[in-house]
Amino acid sequence: MSKQKLSLQEQLLKSGLASSAQAKKVQADKRKQSRMQTHNNATVVDEAKELALKAQAEKAGRDRELNQLRHQQEAQKALVAQVKQLIEQNRQRQDPDGVAYRFTDNGKVKTLYVTETLREQVIKGRAAVVKFEGAYDVVPAEAAKKIGERLADCIIVCFQAEPEVAKATDDPYAGFEVPDDLMW
């Protein structure tokens, strides 16, 4: 046997929690509201709906902010991974028996032992000293430029590369042009 489902109003009447007068009053109020709505084209404000919509909008805003923060963190992790890979692939070998190259990091003097040629490359701007995860390494200037684009605070020492000096010729006026108005 299937039991018929009773409406809430019928259940309240049957259990004695509400009187028939209260039920009639509620039905009359509903009819009045629907009549007013159709005749006046007035909308009945449903506070519960408004609160639910407001809560939903706030939740969507919070979710958007959290997603944006998560994307920023993922992007930062990707940059760190790229920098780590660039350093590992371009790291120049240090020489414990080599020449000391001293530089400052946060006001403290640090020392790397490198070969004489590598030291000259750092001084001439063809190589740079980078710091990543507490370790100092020397990388070529091109790699340092890529690292600087991703995480600028990793670059510790990077001098501007010196332009190549043209070989001197015997003619002291080589490279000078005489203006046309001075020509005779």
Side-chain angles (χ1 to χ4, degrees):
M1 293 190 133
S2 66
K3 291 186 178 180
Q4 271 188 337
K5 293 190 176 187
L6 301 173
S7 68
L8 179 61
Q9 183 179 9
E10 292 171 348
Q11 290 175 10
L12 291 172
L13 286 172
K14 190 174 182 182
S15 65
L17 294 174
S19 66
S20 60
Q22 289 174 331
K24 287 181 183 177
K25 184 178 183 224
V26 168
Q27 285 179 347
D29 287 342
K30 280 187 180 180
R31 277 194 302 270
K32 284 180 186 177
Q33 276 186 347
S34 66
R35 210 175 311 131
M36 281 179 53
Q37 196 173 12
T38 57
H39 289 298
N40 298 334
N41 289 335
T43 57
V44 178
V45 177
D46 190 1
E47 292 178 18
K49 271 187 181 177
E50 285 183 1
L51 289 175
L53 289 173
K54 184 178 178 183
Q56 187 178 17
E58 288 175 358
K59 184 181 182 303
R62 282 193 309 269
D63 289 346
R64 225 177 290 114
E65 289 174 5
L66 288 174
N67 281 340
Q68 185 179 8
L69 180 64
R70 191 174 303 121
H71 287 300
Q72 288 174 348
Q73 289 173 344
E74 289 174 2
Q76 184 67 22
K77 283 182 183 179
L79 287 177
V80 168
Q82 290 174 4
V83 167
K84 182 177 182 178
Q85 183 179 17
L86 281 169
I87 291 174
E88 287 175 354
Q89 288 177 349
N90 295 294
R91 176 182 294 148
Q92 300 294 317
R93 212 169 67 88
Q94 296 181 18
D95 185 7
D97 298 327
V99 179
Y101 178 75
R102 290 183 176 80
F103 57 95
T104 58
D105 182 22
N106 291 331
K108 295 182 181 179
V109 176
K110 302 291 183 175
T111 304
L112 282 179
Y113 292 96
V114 294
T115 62
E116 181 64 36
T117 57
L118 191 57
R119 180 178 172 275
E120 290 297 320
Q121 287 179 349
V122 171
I123 292 170
K124 291 182 179 180
R126 293 189 191 114
V129 177
V130 295
K131 179 181 180 182
F132 186 73
E133 295 178 345
Y136 297 97
D137 290 300
V138 179
V139 296
E142 297 83 26
K145 182 179 177 185
K146 291 177 184 177
I147 291 169
E149 290 171 355
R150 289 162 176 80
L151 293 175
D153 57 337
C154 286
I155 305 296
I156 304 298
V157 177
C158 186
F159 296 115
Q160 193 71 8
E162 295 177 358
E164 293 293 323
V165 178
K167 292 185 179 181
T169 62
D170 291 337
D171 184 9
Y173 299 107
F176 291 104
E177 290 188 29
V178 178
D180 291 336
D181 59 341
L182 294 178
M183 297 283 257
W184 60 102

